Amino acid sequence: MPVTIHKDIVCTFCGALCDDLEMHVENNKVIDVKNVCGIGRNKALHGDNDKPECRVYGERATLEEAYDASARMLAQARSPLVYGFSSTVAEANRVGVELAEILRGGLDNCSSYCHGPGVLARQHVGLPTCTLGEAKNRADLVVFWGANPMESHMRHFSRYSVQAKGMYTPLGRKDRKMAVVDVRPTPSSKNADLFFQVTPGSDYEIATVLRALVLEMPLPTLTDDSLVGGVPLARWRELVELIKQCKYCVVFFGIGLTQSQGKDLNVEQLIRLVSDCNRYTRVYAMPMRGHANVNGNNQVFVWQTGYPLAISFNRGYPRFNPGEFSVIDMLNRGDVDAAIIVATDPAAHLPYTAVDALKKIPTIVLDPVNSLTTEWANVVIPVATSGLSAAGTYYRMDNVPIRLRKIIDCEWPTDLEVLQNIKERVLNAKDH
Amino acid sequence: MLKIINGGVYDPLQGLSGQAGTICVGDDGKICDPPSDAAPCDIVDASGCAVMAGGVDIHSHIAGTKVNSARSMCPEDHYDHFKPHTDTTRAGTGFTVPTSFYTGYEYAGQGYTTVFEAAVPPLEARHAHEELLDVPIIDTGTYTLMGNNYMIMQILAEQDPVSRKERLRDLVSWLLTTTKGYAVKVVNPGGVESWKWAQGIQDLDTPVPPFGVTPRQIMTGLAETIRGLGLPHGMHLHCNHLGEAGNYITTLETMRALDGLPFHLTHLQFHAYGQSKKGTLKSAASELADYINGHPNVTFDVGQMVFGPATTMTADAPMQYRLHVVTGHKWINNDVEMESGAGVVPLQYKPKSLVNAIQWCVGLELLLLVKNAWQIILTTDHPNAGPFSAYPQIIRLLMDRDYRASQMEALNPRVGKYTVLAQLAREYTLEEIAIITRSAPAKTLGLPQRGNLRAGSCGDIAAYRIQEDKERMFREPAYVFKDGALVVRDGKAIKSPQGRRLLVEPDCGAVLPDDLVDEFHRYYSITLANFPVQEEYIPRPEVIACK
Ligand code: SF4
Ligand SMILES: [Zn+2]
């Protein structure tokens, strides 16, 4: 079989959405990938293998049977939930929102338990930010806070941040300073010029003191030796001086910040700090989004409903209330009586109480590969894999939208097609 | 075939101002002459209505990265403003930044059928186009931001005038084609690049880092290129120094610099301020109106301020930062590599605030002092100076002098010292309203089939019940038709058809010069192959011919 080489392909593993991959396809299979990191390679090589069976209540079924069963379960439910989307295209996500709207159900995505606090912080204070190319071209100082890209976004350093050679940073690493704030040394922190090993749960306190230093407010109870988050004040002064003197700084923050004590308040204070710094120079913040298109989920939810996550349509229009309408809380309270899950594996990611709740109700799952959830879901619908056998739009961590192409064929439908089919059937069921 | 009978027809292009007439729309969705035979048709009785072409909004922010960031940042904008799902329409929320579906219904609900998203950075154009797929009913187009584009500034800095001109033409053509844009947008030329260097404010002749070209060169270079390409719409220009006291001098100088070139001034209200002795704001609407009255080719949209909540959002990043500092309100900034920037800050405009009161007067003064309505276009720079849903109220302010006077009583009493509005007695006619809301924007945009009711034009039609209260009249059109299909009744959308996307296809095509391909690879964070907006995002294109 001849090998076809596809260039400029988008990696669909993490929010860095590297779009310069080279994929070698033979016999409708990806046999090799170039310009990719280890985790991305794994996804590209195996993302379309290991398809689940199409099943209804454990029995092998046709797609038609699966669509009918799904529509019936959803249409009969009083409080259905539409959930997931982190690894599917915006186009499918758009129909997913419509389905929730027609069902008068709940709607949530995976940011609910990863970068959701960052999304909430933005509702309070906004977010001064930039695209990744600006970090590459201009940033002479990069800071990672609670983020470890060497293990989570492995090409981030070389493509966008620490080592990237840009317009005003032609020497890459040599033209930059790098600082890391984290609770333990990491492979990323080993590369840093400045590493701040902080005590867990002290992010809010640190950001507050940094703000005071930036704003030149008196700190009468602290001396240079006083520990702030386990690090002497004098060292924090050093960081503030570095920021004030740089030309362009980007602070990348990860779930080490969003999921530690304080959550959205941590992010809020960090964003305030970054905003304050703009009186001296350009300083921005950016969330290191994990799952490739979880930002796209937030984008689609927002443009169709006004809210990024934790939505209920039970009154016919979108309402938003994290804690009340977020997936974990809804499930834990027993507020959901049927669920359709798209492109995520709740059995692997949600707390066991929520998973138990899912197991007790009719659950439909769309997944391109076998997962912990496909093992027991009542309806399992195998689908094409976004970026390999399905085309569509992903939104990078910096909001830049990129179109995924389809490079191999798949016998199964796309998420978009499945959702459209189920939606049509729900509409018909409701008419009768 | 659709027949709208018994209405008073307002079509300024054909000189019709209220004459009784019948408007017919053929099955192709285009307006046609009444048929001679008695062909079967749907008849709509528009007795007591003013029948006009669908409204055309030349400048609004309705889709894309910054609009969606604003929605995300401002849930408080949505809680009290919502529309439930119906069998034929989608649900939505939002007041100053309504959701995509809601935006389409609200525009159509006021009789608007064509709207342009005014500021799209090339790198994020795909987002704007994808979101516009979820804006129902109305036809849409996007303007591509170019006033702080690195490659454009680089070419402008080249010495050889002949090659400079050719290369600029190729680049502008490439940018418009790959972003599926309709027009060239320039925002605070040079000022956004300068912001990224944490440098000061840009005057027309201040060199911009790193290439040393000036805002004047950027504007004249782009306007000349637009003329060369024969684009249907001129350079859509947001001048330097938005919102600053004394900025009318820059605005005047800009108009002089561009004399004879194709350009349109947007949200002029924000650029029409003089400076009092104490350094504070005062109206300079008269100074600008004098110039515009003497230059019939100049067009502007007003960006009228509306009291109440607003969400400011522009590519003018430094201006948005200043607003954040002055107000202490939450702030989004988004620098876009190689191209542009953006900022978002929510605000409240209050009649008791002297500055806001002056701004409100300045907008109305411009609308009343410029004599020829064909040079004027109604906008609120939605949602910067207020939401587009306030157009009916502004129409009333223009048509009803007593109402205007009553509204002025609520203003900060000192406003009289800095404005002349109280002395202006002009009242708009319905014909003039038709001009500033449809005919003039369509003409300025180079859209011969919109903003008029001639045979062959789009069957986009609004019928408003004539009544004393002009705000109510324009808030709840009796009927709105899109391509001849009834889409709105009594101000409520009853259908969700997908609109068309308006595009241009300049002759020079879409080839990026070789040396710039190189730059692209080096400095953008995505590959060139993934940069152009794919056809999948434009299922219903309508290409408007270049001149
Ligand atoms: S960094 Fe992320 S997007 Fe890039 S190749 Fe690795 S997994 Fe894929
Ligand atoms: Zn604008």
Side-chain angles (χ1 to χ4, degrees):
Chain A
M1 273 307 251
V3 175
T4 319
I5 297 178
H6 299 272
K7 294 201 161 149
D8 303 319
I9 296 299
V10 185
C11 175
T12 56
F13 188 81
C14 86
L17 285 194
C18 302
D19 72 327
D20 59 340
L21 276 59
E22 191 178 295
M23 290 201 188
H24 299 213
V25 174
E26 184 184 34
N27 205 4
N28 205 38
K29 268 205 168 6
V30 178
I31 54 160
D32 195 12
V33 194
K34 301 225 151 62
N35 306 334
V36 70
C37 73
I39 29 183
R41 161 185 295 273
N42 201 39
K43 167 120 192 191
L45 288 178
H46 307 297
D48 222 27
N49 308 343
D50 192 25
K51 291 277 171 206
E53 254 182 356
C54 184
R55 284 192 300 270
V56 174
Y57 286 113
E59 302 286 323
R60 187 188 279 263
T62 65
L63 281 169
E64 295 296 310
E65 289 163 345
Y67 296 158
D68 283 340
S70 306
R72 220 174 315 122
M73 288 174 183
L74 293 170
Q76 280 168 3
R78 291 173 57 95
S79 177
L81 171 70
V82 180
Y83 166 66
F85 304 105
S86 58
S87 301
T88 192
V89 294
E91 288 78 354
N93 204 160
R94 284 161 56 206
V95 180
V97 178
E98 189 180 2
L99 180 62
E101 187 177 318
I102 291 165
L103 291 167
R104 290 180 158 243
L107 175 71
D108 204 1
N109 59 55
C110 305
S111 63
S112 195
Y113 57 86
C114 60
H115 269 276
V119 176
L120 299 187
R122 257 176 279 173
Q123 296 183 334
H124 302 149
V125 288
L127 178 72
T129 190
C130 62
T131 64
L132 286 166
E134 291 288 31
K136 154 174 148 169
N137 287 331
R138 294 176 195 269
D140 53 351
L141 174 60
V142 287
V143 180
F144 293 91
W145 194 315
N148 175 18
M150 285 287 278
E151 286 179 329
S152 59
H153 302 70
M154 292 161 74
R155 295 181 75 210
H156 195 278
F157 276 17
S158 61
R159 271 176 63 81
Y160 309 120
S161 58
V162 180
Q163 295 143 359
K165 292 182 177 157
M167 190 176 294
Y168 307 111
T169 51
L171 302 178
R173 182 69 181 90
K174 291 203 189 84
D175 278 334
R176 286 194 177 85
K177 286 273 191 294
M178 171 188 175
V180 170
V181 181
D182 215 327
V183 293
R184 64 182 75 85
T186 65
S188 302
S189 73
K190 293 205 175 76
N191 289 281
D193 300 296
L194 298 173
F195 173 47
F196 300 88
Q197 184 167 355
V198 301
T199 37
S202 61
D203 306 85
Y204 187 88
E205 181 194 351
I206 296 165
T208 307
V209 169
L210 287 174
R211 283 190 72 194
L213 293 174
V214 167
L215 298 172
E216 289 166 5
M217 288 160 75
L219 290 167
T221 60
L222 298 181
T223 66
D224 273 2
D225 303 327
S226 307
L227 294 183
V228 177
V231 176
L233 183 67
R235 290 205 59 219
W236 293 119
R237 278 192 204 286
E238 208 185 322
L239 179 61
V240 167
E241 280 317 304
L242 206 59
I243 291 174
K244 280 185 178 173
Q245 277 156 27
C246 80
K247 292 200 182 77
Y248 204 98
C249 167
V250 184
V251 183
F252 296 96
F253 59 94
I255 48 175
L257 182 74
T258 62
Q259 289 302 336
S260 66
Q261 185 192 335
K263 291 196 169 181
D264 48 320
L265 295 178
N266 295 339
V267 185
E268 192 175 314
Q269 195 67 322
L270 175 73
I271 293 174
R272 285 188 200 277
L273 165 67
V274 163
S275 302
D276 292 341
C277 292
N278 274 278
R279 65 181 62 191
Y280 301 104
T281 183
R282 292 296 78 93
V283 183
Y284 299 128
M286 193 188 303
M288 296 283 279
R289 308 303 295 259
H291 290 296
N293 198 29
V294 71
N295 183 21
N297 305 152
N298 293 140
Q299 296 289 346
V300 170
F301 279 27
V302 167
W303 86 58
Q304 289 206 0
T305 74
Y307 307 117
L309 47 91
I311 292 157
S312 169
F313 280 103
N314 66 0
R315 290 198 188 153
Y317 61 90
R319 288 186 304 144
F320 161 72
N321 198 2
E324 185 178 11
F325 303 138
S326 350
V327 56
I328 295 175
D329 306 85
M330 296 255 287
L331 287 170
N332 282 348
R333 274 196 312 267
D335 277 356
V336 180
D337 61 356
I340 177 164
I341 290 150
V342 185
T344 184
D345 184 6
H349 302 308
L350 297 187
Y352 72 94
T353 46
V355 178
D356 280 349
L358 268 180
K359 284 183 178 169
K360 291 197 190 102
I361 58 171
T363 296
I364 303 146
V365 65
L366 282 58
D367 206 310
V369 290
N370 274 308
S371 72
L372 293 178
T373 312
T374 59
E375 282 175 20
W376 49 261
N378 304 97
V379 178
V380 177
I381 303 179
V383 287
T385 306
S386 300
L388 291 177
S389 45
T393 318
Y394 267 34
Y395 287 75
R396 206 165 65 181
M397 60 167 72
D398 59 350
N399 301 333
V400 170
I402 307 183
R403 186 168 184 83
L404 316 181
R405 275 174 280 161
K406 175 183 174 205
I407 54 166
I408 56 179
D409 295 321
C410 173
E411 58 176 314
W412 298 108
T414 61
D415 290 311
L416 174 63
E417 289 161 346
V418 173
L419 287 166
Q420 261 161 350
N421 269 293
I422 295 176
K423 182 190 96 183
E424 294 305 324
R425 276 157 226 245
V426 167
L427 283 173
N428 285 336
K430 295 215 150 196
D431 282 349
H432 296 298
Chain B
M1 163 89 57
L2 165 77
K3 248 187 196 177
I4 304 165
I5 59 168
N6 296 337
V9 178
Y10 287 83
D11 186 5
L13 200 73
Q14 300 187 81
L16 297 173
S17 51
Q19 287 87 334
T22 296
I23 304 290
C24 295
V25 184
D27 294 337
D28 61 352
K30 303 275 187 219
I31 294 174
C32 57
D33 293 324
S36 47
D37 54 0
C41 58
D42 295 330
I43 293 182
V44 172
D45 186 350
S47 308
C49 290
V51 177
M52 299 183 182
V56 178
D57 199 329
I58 199 171
H59 186 112
S60 183
H61 300 275
I62 56 169
T65 313
K66 76 182 172 331
V67 179
N68 216 33
S69 301
R71 287 188 192 110
S72 181
M73 176 169 67
C74 300
E76 68 278 9
D77 182 74
H78 316 331
Y79 299 132
D80 296 336
H81 298 88
F82 53 82
K83 176 200 162 314
H85 178 87
T86 72
D87 286 347
T88 54
T89 59
R90 295 286 305 273
T93 66
F95 180 59
T96 67
V97 273
T99 53
S100 60
F101 295 101
Y102 205 15
T103 299
Y105 302 136
E106 291 263 286
Y107 259 118
Q110 290 187 33
Y112 273 74
T113 48
T114 304
V115 179
F116 285 84
E117 159 53 52
V120 176
L123 184 61
E124 293 164 346
R126 206 172 342 270
H127 179 161
H129 285 295
E130 183 172 33
E131 206 180 307
L132 287 173
L133 292 174
D134 285 343
V135 176
I137 305 179
I138 56 177
D139 293 336
T140 52
T142 62
Y143 302 158
T144 305
L145 285 161
M146 298 196 196
N148 290 278
N149 184 295
Y150 171 91
M151 295 194 283
I152 283 180
M153 290 190 286
Q154 189 183 12
I155 289 182
L156 281 168
E158 286 172 14
Q159 293 307 316
D160 176 0
V162 179
S163 116
R164 189 169 66 213
K165 193 170 155 198
E166 269 173 29
R167 281 160 58 74
L168 195 58
R169 200 187 53 207
D170 288 348
L171 178 58
V172 169
S173 180
W174 175 79
L175 278 166
L176 279 173
T177 315
T178 50
T179 60
K180 305 261 192 263
Y182 184 78
V184 175
K185 175 76 181 296
V186 172
V187 172
N188 185 0
V192 183
E193 179 64 24
S194 170
W195 154 258
K196 294 178 185 176
W197 293 90
Q199 289 189 9
I201 279 163
Q202 219 61 51
D203 275 315
L204 289 197
D205 297 307
T206 318
V208 182
F211 296 109
V213 297
T214 63
R216 186 190 299 274
Q217 286 171 297
I218 296 172
M219 290 190 286
T220 51
L222 282 171
E224 281 164 9
T225 306
I226 288 162
R227 183 172 59 189
L229 288 169
L231 296 182
H233 184 40
M235 177 170 63
H236 198 96
L237 178 62
H238 158 150
C239 293
N240 303 71
H241 295 298
L242 184 146
E244 292 167 37
N247 64 9
Y248 84 98
I249 302 207
T250 304
T251 311
L252 273 179
E253 217 180 309
T254 302
M255 288 194 274
R256 288 196 193 101
L258 292 170
D259 191 27
L261 289 167
F263 72 99
H264 167 85
L265 295 172
T266 191
H267 40 67
L268 191 59
Q269 178 270 124
F270 284 122
H271 305 274
Y273 307 144
Q275 195 167 27
S276 71
K277 285 198 196 77
K278 283 191 221 134
T280 55
L281 223 60
K282 67 175 196 184
S283 172
S286 313
E287 287 84 343
L288 294 187
D290 282 349
Y291 184 92
I292 293 168
N293 284 331
H295 294 80
N297 288 328
V298 174
T299 59
F300 72 96
D301 66 84
V302 63
Q304 175 60 35
M305 176 165 293
V306 184
F307 294 121
T311 306
T312 65
M313 53 172 78
T314 72
D316 198 336
M319 195 280 299
Q320 296 288 160
Y321 176 66
R322 282 200 304 280
L323 268 182
H324 158 67
V325 171
V326 169
T327 62
H329 293 178
K330 51 192 176 184
W331 169 52
I332 285 172
N333 177 82
N334 185 25
D335 287 4
V336 183
E337 68 209 49
M338 307 292 287
E339 297 175 349
S340 185
V344 185
V345 178
L347 288 183
Q348 280 275 343
Y349 296 122
K350 299 185 181 122
K352 289 287 177 249
S353 143
L354 180 59
V355 170
N356 293 166
I358 294 170
Q359 292 176 303
W360 185 85
C361 293
V362 167
L364 289 170
E365 287 175 4
L366 286 168
L367 288 163
L368 296 168
L369 287 168
V370 173
K371 295 193 180 105
N372 178 2
W374 285 94
Q375 292 175 268
I376 304 171
I377 294 163
L378 178 61
T379 62
T380 56
D381 186 13
H382 165 83
N384 278 288
F388 66 81
S389 49
Y391 289 172
Q393 193 212 351
I394 301 169
I395 290 173
R396 183 171 179 200
L397 286 166
L398 293 174
M399 294 191 73
D400 182 341
R401 187 170 130 190
D402 295 337
Y403 175 67
R404 198 157 70 218
S406 74
Q407 294 298 296
M408 288 188 70
E409 279 167 23
L411 300 182
N412 182 306
R414 287 192 294 151
V415 74
K417 245 181 95 184
Y418 305 99
T419 60
V420 298
L421 183 62
Q423 287 122 58
L424 304 180
R426 180 175 168 192
E427 286 183 334
Y428 269 54
T429 62
L430 270 180
E431 189 190 4
E432 285 176 312
I433 295 297
I435 294 173
I436 68 168
T437 55
R438 42 267 287 161
S439 311
K443 177 165 179 259
T444 305
L445 285 158
L447 295 170
Q449 295 185 352
R450 285 174 174 75
N452 68 72
L453 297 168
R454 285 187 303 209
S457 288
C458 302
D460 301 350
I461 301 159
Y464 302 96
R465 283 189 201 89
I466 295 176
Q467 52 196 300
E468 202 35 49
D469 181 345
K470 295 299 182 289
E471 182 172 347
R472 261 195 77 191
M473 172 175 170
F474 282 94
R475 189 170 299 294
E476 278 179 17
Y479 308 102
V480 180
F481 302 89
K482 183 75 185 62
D483 301 315
L486 184 66
V487 289
V488 169
R489 262 201 108 122
D490 299 323
K492 295 263 175 313
I494 54 170
K495 266 200 194 147
S496 296
Q498 185 155 72
R500 281 181 288 256
R501 195 70 39 78
L502 300 168
L503 311 170
V504 290
E505 282 178 356
D507 286 344
C508 300
V511 186
L512 187 64
D514 278 348
D515 58 314
L516 295 181
V517 169
D518 221 48
E519 303 262 299
F520 191 106
H521 284 312
R522 268 208 298 256
Y523 301 134
Y524 265 97
S525 63
I526 78 173
T527 62
L528 186 53
N530 289 321
F531 183 76
V533 174
Q534 293 84 352
E535 272 160 19
E536 282 85 346
Y537 299 92
I538 322 281
R540 295 192 70 204
E542 177 179 340
V543 177
I544 303 298
C546 291
K547 290 169 201 155

